Amino acid sequence: PQLQAVRWPDCEYGSHSWELVVTVDHQHEEVQKEFLLRVTGDLHIGGVMLKLVEQIKISQDWSDYALWWEQKKCWLLKTHWTLDKCGVQADAKLFFTTQHKMLRLRLPNMKTVRLKVSFSSMVFKAVSDICKILNIRRSEELSLLKQSEDTLKKKKKKDKNSKEPVTEDILNLCNSPVSSGLSGSPGLYSKTMTPVYDPISGTPASSTITWFSDSPLTEQNCSILAFSHPNCSPETLAEMYQPRTLADKAKLNAGWLDSSRSLMEQGILEDDQLLLRFKYYTFFDLNPKYDAVRINQIYEQARWAILLEEIDCTEEEMLIFAALQYHVSKLSLSSEAQDFTCESEVDEVEAALSNLEVTLEGGNASNILEDITDIPKLADNLRLVRPRKLSLKAIKPYWFVFKDTSVSYFKNKESAQGEPIEKINLKGCEIVPDVNVAAKKFGIKLLIPVADGMNEVYLRCDNETQYARWMAACVLASKGKTMADSSYHPEVHKILSFLKMKNWTMSPQAVSDPESIDMKPECFVSLRYTKKYKSKQVRLAARILEAHQNVSQMTLVEAKLRFIQAWQSLPEFGLSYYIVRFKGSKKDDVLGVSYNRLIRIDIATGDPITTWRFSNMKQWNVNWEIRQVAIEFDQNVSIAFTCLSADCKIIHEYIGGYIFLSTRSKDQNETLDEDLFHKLTGGQE
C-alpha cells in the first residue's frame, strides 16, 4: 500500500515539541486560568515560567510564584533544570502558584495567629521564619504539629451541641515583611541581641518598638504573645482532649510534620490550622532579657501539659503549679494596667536573675580550679529499700558511698574500707524522685537496667539537704557525669528551691484572705484534682493560697521560670511517646523519646523496661522498605522496631534532632548548621 504523507507542525517547533498544560493561580476573574504552552524537553523551568507570564498578559509581581507538580507532589524550584531533567512530560499537571500562603497557627498559649508562610521551603526553614516574625529565639526547638483526628473529635462533638457559632480570636499578622516573601526586617527579633523587652515586667520596652516600625508585631500584639492571659473556665478545660493512657499520649505525637519537606508536599492547604509547639525539650540559653515571648510560650506549654494531664504529678506538686499560675495571672492582670517604660533597674534585675539563668542552663560554676583538684564523693547513712514480690518492703540502714558514677553500700562506716555489699553503677539508670515534703519522705527511686528489664532500688534520705545532694549526684551519674561537673551545685540548688516551694504550713491569715473569695481554684488544677476537692472547693482555694505564700514575692518572669523549672523536675518531663513493636516481640510496647535517652515502657503498667542512652549510640538508620528503625549501641547492643502510632520518620527525626541540639554552643552567634540538621534527621529515603 502507498504510504500517506504526514504533515508536521511548523518548522519553528521541530518534531520533538509538545504541549504542556499549566493552571495559573491568580485572582483576576476575567482572565483564563488554564494555559497551553508548546515546549521542548530541553527548555528549562525558568524558560517555562517566562513563556507563561508572557501569555498571561497580566502586569503584576510574579516573583513569589513557582511551579508545583500536582501528581508528583513536588515544587520545581531549580529554575536552571530542563523539563527532561525534572522528568516532566506531556501528561504533567503543573500549577503556577505563590510560594507564600496564609496559615493559621495555634501557639502554646492557645492564641491563634494568622500569617504568611513559605509553602515551598522545608518546614525547618519555614519554622525559623515564623519564629522571627513572632520574636521567638532558638527556632530549632519548635516545630509544626497537625492535630490528630482523635483529639479533634471531642471538640467537634461539643461544637454540635452549642447553639452559638464559636468565633475564634485570631491575631492577624498578614502584612508582615517576612510574610510577603521579603527577609528585610527581623520583626521584633534582634540579631545584635539588643534587649527588646523591659526585663522587669517582661513587657515590650516602648522605646525599642520604633527601631522595628515595619514589623507586624506592634506593641499591643507583642504583649499578647509575651503575656499570660486569664485562665480558662473549667467547662473549657473539660472540652479539651485529655490523654488518659500511654496510648492516648502517643496520639499527641503522631502529627509532627517532616522537617525536611515543605508544607505543600505534606498536604497542608492555604489557611489550614497547625499547632506551633516546642518539640524538643532542651531550652538553650533561656534569657529573661531577650526571651519574653519564648519564656511565656514555654510556660504556657508546660501549664497546659499539667492542666490536661499530659504529664503526671503528685497532689503536692499540683498545688505548687496552681500557686505559681495564680501568682502569674495576678501579676499579669496588674501589669497590663500599667505602662512600662522603666529601664533603670535593669542591672539589679539582671544580677538577681543570673543565678536563675545558670540553674536553668545547667550552670557554669566559677570555681573551676576546685573542680580539677578535688574529686568529690558523698558518704552518709541512708536507708535502702528493695521491693520484694509477695512480701513487705525490707528497709535497712547502710553506710553509702557515692564516687564517680557509682554508689556502693556497706554494713557500717567502719567496714567501708573493705568490699561493699553491692556496687551499683548508675550510668544509664532512670532516677525518679519519691518525695512527700509534708510527710517528711525524701526518697530516690533507682531503676537499674538488667537483661530482662529494670531492677528497682529505693534510697531513703533523712532531710532536704541530704536528699538534694544525693539526688543531684544520682541524676548526673545517670547521664555519665561525676560530681566534679560544673552543673552539680546548680542541680543541688534547683532541687532545694523546689523542695522549699513544696514546704508550706497552714496559715490562718491565708485562709481568711479576702482574695480567696474571688479565686477560682478549679482553673489552676487538672480535672482530677477538681473532682477530688468537689465537695470542698474552699479547701482547695485555701491550699493554693497556702502554697502561694512561698512564691508571692517573685517577679512575673521569675515565677514563669520557676514554673518551667518545676515542670522540668517531674520524672516524666520531656518524654514523647510512641507505640512500637520491637523486632522479635509478640506484643506492642511504648517507646519514650527524651533528650538523652530512649525508654522501652510496658504499655499495660507504664513501667520502664529498658533504657538506652544516646551517649552510647554508635549509629541509627531506617530500612524504608519495611519502615523499621534500627539502632546500634556500644557493647554489641542493637535494637530494631517498627512504629505503629506514627510514621517511623518522626521517631528517626526526633533522635537526630536531639543529637543535633546537643551540638549547640554559646559562641555560635545563633546561626544554625541547617545542613547538619538535615543530615542527622533526614534519613536517606
Side-chain angles (χ1 to χ4, degrees):
Q2 198 177 355
L3 286 170
Q4 222 175 334
V6 177
R7 189 173 181 279
W8 294 104
D10 297 345
C11 305
E12 62 168 304
Y13 295 122
S15 58
H16 61 301
S17 71
W18 38 278
E19 284 179 333
L20 181 65
V21 179
V22 183
T23 307
V24 180
D25 176 17
H26 61 68
Q27 305 307 314
H28 305 272
E29 286 177 20
E30 68 284 357
V31 182
Q32 68 189 82
K33 297 257 179 179
E34 227 168 66
F35 292 85
L36 212 58
L37 300 182
R38 183 158 281 283
V39 296
T40 58
D42 57 6
L43 180 64
H44 51 76
I45 299 296
V48 174
M49 286 156 72
L50 206 63
K51 261 181 184 263
L52 189 60
V53 170
E54 281 169 5
Q55 263 201 44
I56 302 170
K57 294 190 175 64
I58 300 173
S59 57
Q60 70 168 64
D61 179 4
W62 296 101
S63 60
D64 191 39
Y65 277 70
L67 290 168
W68 165 256
W69 188 356
E70 184 53 41
Q71 297 106 310
K72 289 276 169 92
K73 292 270 179 275
C74 70
W75 287 94
L76 302 176
L77 296 175
K78 294 190 166 121
T79 49
H80 57 287
W81 278 26
T82 62
L83 290 171
D84 280 347
K85 190 168 182 180
C86 293
V88 174
Q89 291 172 336
D91 62 347
K93 284 197 181 91
L94 299 187
F95 282 83
F96 191 48
T97 183
T98 52
Q99 296 175 65
H100 287 78
K101 299 176 187 296
M102 295 310 290
L103 191 64
R104 286 176 303 132
L105 290 178
R106 196 133 196 246
L107 305 184
N109 67 346
M110 302 295 177
K111 275 267 172 225
T112 302
V113 295
R114 192 165 172 270
L115 69 177
K116 259 194 180 160
V117 176
S118 170
F119 273 57
S120 62
S121 306
M122 288 183 187
V123 163
F124 187 78
K125 175 80 176 70
V127 170
S128 167
D129 290 344
I130 289 164
C131 287
K132 280 180 185 161
I133 299 173
L134 302 180
N135 193 32
I136 298 173
R137 291 194 311 143
R138 306 285 169 201
S139 65
E140 66 278 8
E141 294 167 1
L142 298 97
S143 193
L144 299 173
L145 183 65
K146 196 175 182 179
Q147 258 183 312
S148 73
E149 291 305 310
D150 293 320
T151 61
L152 289 166
K153 271 177 202 161
K154 186 166 183 186
K155 285 186 190 171
K156 280 183 182 151
K157 271 184 205 158
K158 298 279 178 191
D159 290 349
K160 277 179 193 165
N161 305 337
S162 59
K163 305 277 187 290
E164 296 168 32
V166 180
T167 52
E168 198 172 10
D169 175 21
I170 295 183
L171 174 61
N172 240 321
L173 301 179
C174 45
N175 302 324
S176 71
V178 184
S179 297
S180 46
L182 311 167
S183 52
S185 157
L188 271 177
Y189 174 95
S190 165
K191 264 290 187 220
T192 55
M193 293 297 286
T194 318
V196 290
Y197 290 98
D198 183 308
I200 301 157
S201 63
T203 51
S206 312
S207 55
T208 60
I209 292 293
T210 51
W211 307 341
F212 304 109
S213 52
D214 55 347
S215 159
L217 270 180
T218 61
E219 197 166 339
Q220 169 252 328
N221 289 347
C222 204
S223 63
I224 286 176
L225 304 186
F227 260 124
S228 186
H229 287 270
N231 292 45
C232 74
S233 66
E235 295 76 41
T236 315
L237 197 60
E239 283 176 24
M240 296 172 85
Y241 179 76
Q242 291 179 37
R244 292 272 167 257
T245 62
L246 275 176
D248 288 347
K249 289 180 184 180
K251 285 173 192 163
L252 298 172
N253 293 300
W256 288 111
L257 294 190
D258 186 337
S259 298
S260 314
R261 290 160 65 217
S262 69
L263 290 170
M264 198 98 148
E265 287 171 70
Q266 298 180 67
I268 306 300
L269 305 172
E270 177 148 31
D271 231 22
D272 273 0
Q273 178 163 298
L274 294 173
L275 309 181
L276 179 70
R277 291 286 182 271
F278 288 88
K279 175 178 181 180
Y280 299 103
Y281 294 93
T282 48
F283 309 123
F284 188 70
D285 181 28
L286 261 190
N287 190 327
K289 202 161 151 188
Y290 318 110
D291 285 328
V293 174
R294 182 171 165 226
I295 287 170
N296 186 53
Q297 297 297 338
I298 295 174
Y299 160 75
E300 286 283 347
Q301 187 159 324
R303 186 167 86 87
W304 285 106
I306 283 154
L307 287 176
L308 298 173
E309 293 189 57
E310 287 169 21
I311 184 167
D312 285 340
C313 63
T314 64
E315 186 171 333
E316 200 171 45
E317 286 158 349
M318 183 61 84
L319 288 167
I320 290 174
F321 287 124
L324 284 164
Q325 284 178 75
Y326 173 59
H327 189 60
V328 166
S329 70
K330 252 176 72 166
L331 288 185
S332 299
L333 289 167
S334 59
S335 305
E336 283 183 325
Q338 303 166 31
D339 173 34
F340 287 94
T341 48
C342 154
E343 289 175 22
S344 57
E345 294 172 57
V346 171
D347 297 336
E348 295 95 294
V349 171
E350 252 181 64
L353 286 169
S354 63
N355 289 336
L356 201 53
E357 202 188 320
V358 166
T359 325
L360 282 166
E361 283 166 17
N364 305 321
S366 50
N367 205 340
I368 293 161
L369 259 178
E370 188 188 322
D371 283 357
I372 297 167
T373 54
D374 186 31
I375 299 169
K377 71 176 192 179
L378 286 173
D380 220 335
N381 279 309
L382 303 176
R383 280 156 298 151
L384 179 78
V385 186
R386 273 193 187 281
R388 301 231 174 96
K389 282 173 185 162
L390 307 172
S391 74
L392 294 169
K393 290 177 180 176
I395 304 180
K396 281 188 177 176
Y398 290 102
W399 179 257
F400 280 81
V401 175
F402 198 115
K403 190 141 199 264
D404 294 331
T405 59
S406 298
V407 63
S408 309
Y409 61 93
F410 306 83
K411 193 172 180 186
N412 49 36
K413 189 175 180 177
E414 290 65 47
S415 56
Q417 300 309 316
E419 281 295 303
I421 299 170
E422 188 183 6
K423 182 178 181 180
I424 305 166
N425 188 356
L426 297 184
K427 202 175 170 187
C429 291
E430 287 298 305
I431 313 294
V432 183
D434 180 29
V435 173
N436 184 329
V437 178
K440 295 274 180 266
K441 177 187 175 187
F442 303 101
I444 301 168
K445 182 174 166 184
L446 309 176
L447 295 164
I448 302 145
V450 288
D452 58 345
M454 298 285 235
N455 273 346
E456 276 186 29
V457 174
Y458 290 79
L459 304 183
R460 286 274 170 85
C461 302
D462 295 330
N463 52 47
E464 284 102 325
T465 317
Q466 190 187 48
Y467 168 78
R469 288 164 59 204
W470 283 82
M471 183 66 181
C474 290
V475 168
L476 261 67
S478 73
K479 299 174 188 174
K481 294 177 180 177
T482 69
M483 285 158 55
D485 192 87
S486 62
S487 61
Y488 174 69
H489 292 294
E491 186 67 31
V492 174
H493 179 73
K494 187 168 97 174
I495 294 166
L496 278 171
S497 68
F498 191 36
L499 291 176
K500 185 172 174 283
M501 282 197 288
K502 285 184 175 183
N503 190 12
W504 68 83
T505 47
M506 187 74 179
S507 132
Q509 172 252 323
V511 186
S512 60
D513 193 328
E515 286 173 11
S516 59
I517 299 159
D518 52 293
M519 178 207 212
K520 292 194 173 61
E522 65 277 13
C523 297
F524 302 110
V525 298
S526 68
L527 283 173
R528 181 156 50 114
Y529 289 109
T530 304
K531 283 174 188 161
K532 186 178 173 185
Y533 280 92
K534 194 88 185 146
S535 57
K536 38 188 181 183
Q537 280 308 140
V538 181
R539 177 83 187 108
L540 181 56
R543 292 211 66 190
I544 293 172
L545 286 167
E546 284 163 35
H548 179 247
Q549 288 182 300
N550 272 359
V551 300
S552 58
Q553 299 310 307
M554 291 180 186
T555 63
L556 183 56
V557 176
E558 197 185 349
K560 286 179 188 175
L561 287 172
R562 274 299 157 89
F563 192 99
I564 294 165
Q565 255 186 4
W567 176 49
Q568 286 173 314
S569 68
L570 295 176
E572 289 177 18
F573 166 75
L575 280 175
S576 302
Y577 301 102
Y578 292 94
I579 298 171
V580 298
R581 173 70 64 91
F582 277 89
K583 191 177 178 179
S585 173
K586 289 190 168 63
K587 66 183 190 66
D588 300 345
D589 285 297
V590 169
L591 185 75
V593 184
S594 174
Y595 72 98
N596 60 358
R597 68 202 191 284
L598 299 173
I599 309 175
R600 183 176 182 172
I601 301 166
D602 186 302
I603 198 165
T605 62
D607 294 335
I609 301 167
T610 322
T611 297
W612 301 277
R613 297 264 153 190
F614 290 159
S615 54
N616 301 336
M617 193 158 70
K618 283 171 34 184
Q619 65 167 0
W620 77 105
N621 51 51
V622 179
N623 179 334
W624 293 108
E625 280 176 35
I626 55 170
R627 317 294 291 174
Q628 186 183 68
V629 182
I631 310 174
E632 274 181 50
F633 297 94
D634 295 340
Q635 297 164 335
N636 297 328
V637 174
S638 60
I639 59 170
F641 56 83
T642 50
C643 186
L644 309 176
S645 62
D647 192 300
C648 64
K649 169 69 169 73
I650 294 180
I651 291 190
H652 181 277
E653 188 177 301
Y654 243 127
I655 297 169
Y658 272 128
I659 288 165
F660 170 74
L661 294 189
S662 70
T663 65
R664 295 180 296 180
S665 65
K666 274 270 183 87
D667 55 358
Q668 276 176 330
N669 190 22
E670 290 183 64
T671 49
L672 282 174
D673 187 343
E674 227 173 293
D675 291 340
L676 177 65
F677 176 84
H678 291 300
K679 211 173 274 179
L680 289 170
T681 60
Q684 280 58 54
E685 199 167 349

